[in-house]
Each structure stands twice: as C-alpha cells, then as structure tokens.
Amino acid sequence: MKFFIRATHATLALFTFFLLIIATTASADSLVDGLWELTLRTPLGERVVILSARSTGRMVTGRVIDEGRIATPIYDGEISGNRVSWKTDVNAPMSLTLAFNGTIDGDTMSGTVGAGALGSWPFSGYLLRLPK
C-alpha cells in the first residue's frame, strides 16, 4: 500500500510539473495578442501606430494601422518567450520595409524598428485591449 501511495504521489507530481511547463509556454507565446499603441521615435518625429496582433504557436500575424488609418499586414512575425519581431511595408513618405524587434514586459512593449539604409530607432508602447 505504501508503494502505491508513493507511486501515486510521484505520478501526480510529474503530471503537475508537465502541466506547468505547458501552461507557461502557452502563456508566453500569447503575450503579443491584442491591440497595442506603439510610438516610434523616428528622425522625422514621433509617429503613433496601432498594432493588432495574434499569435499561433510562435507565428505572429496581424496588421499595423498608421496615423492615416491605413492598415498594412505584418509578415515574418515571430514570438519566443517575451521577444517578438515582425515586418511591415509602408509607402509613405517613401516605400520601405520596417523590421520591428521588441520585448514584452506585462502590458508594455519596447524595442527598435529598422528601416534598412535609413537606420533604426526606438519604439515603445502599451497594450490597449486583449483579443476576444
């Protein structure tokens, strides 16, 4: 009987351990889900955009909505732990690809956005709303 109780406790402890690992991984990968207000500190001044993002596993999809209410899809989006990255193409004031690399800390995000030969600059923002 003692062996059965010990085996049951060991099995329960192992099962609980694996559930915690799965829950931690799932919640880390969904940190980016929602609507974010991001402020880009560009050489032309501050620009505010809205990021609508959703993750499936490590893949991040969504769109960026600029100040002119133009929605542009994001691509090559990825999340790993609290690190997130994605790209989006813009056409104004010129055509270029913006590459975002950020870190999520609770309901805030910060990082850099690269614009190829134009260099890179910081961005930061906060979560406006979680997805439904």
Side-chain angles (χ1 to χ4, degrees):
M1 185 69 169
K2 283 185 178 181
F3 173 76
F4 177 74
I5 293 172
R6 285 186 189 157
T8 303
H9 281 83
T11 304
L12 183 59
L14 188 60
F15 180 72
T16 303
F17 174 74
F18 283 118
L19 281 179
L20 286 172
I21 288 174
I22 291 168
T24 303
T25 303
S27 65
D29 286 349
S30 63
L31 289 174
V32 72
D33 292 2
L35 286 177
W36 295 82
E37 181 174 305
L38 304 177
T39 301
L40 289 61
R41 290 170 188 80
T42 76
L44 301 175
E46 288 190 350
R47 301 286 187 251
V48 176
V49 299
I50 301 297
L51 168 67
S52 172
R54 184 171 298 274
S55 62
T56 304
R58 291 180 54 141
M59 184 175 72
V60 177
T61 58
R63 62 183 179 219
V64 173
I65 304 164
D66 68 15
E67 293 166 326
R69 296 186 183 169
I70 297 173
T72 308
I74 66 172
Y75 60 94
D76 293 344
E78 186 174 315
I79 186 164
S80 179
N82 69 336
R83 309 273 309 154
V84 62
S85 62
W86 71 89
K87 293 179 182 174
T88 190
D89 296 324
V90 297
N91 294 316
M94 64 186 73
S95 294
L96 53 99
T97 298
L98 299 178
F100 290 78
N101 289 287
T103 303
I104 299 171
D105 183 13
D107 60 356
T108 63
M109 184 189 311
S110 61
T112 59
V113 55
L118 297 178
S120 62
W121 48 83
F123 78 88
S124 61
Y126 58 93
L127 184 62
L128 291 171
R129 185 179 65 178
L130 292 172
K132 292 182 180 183

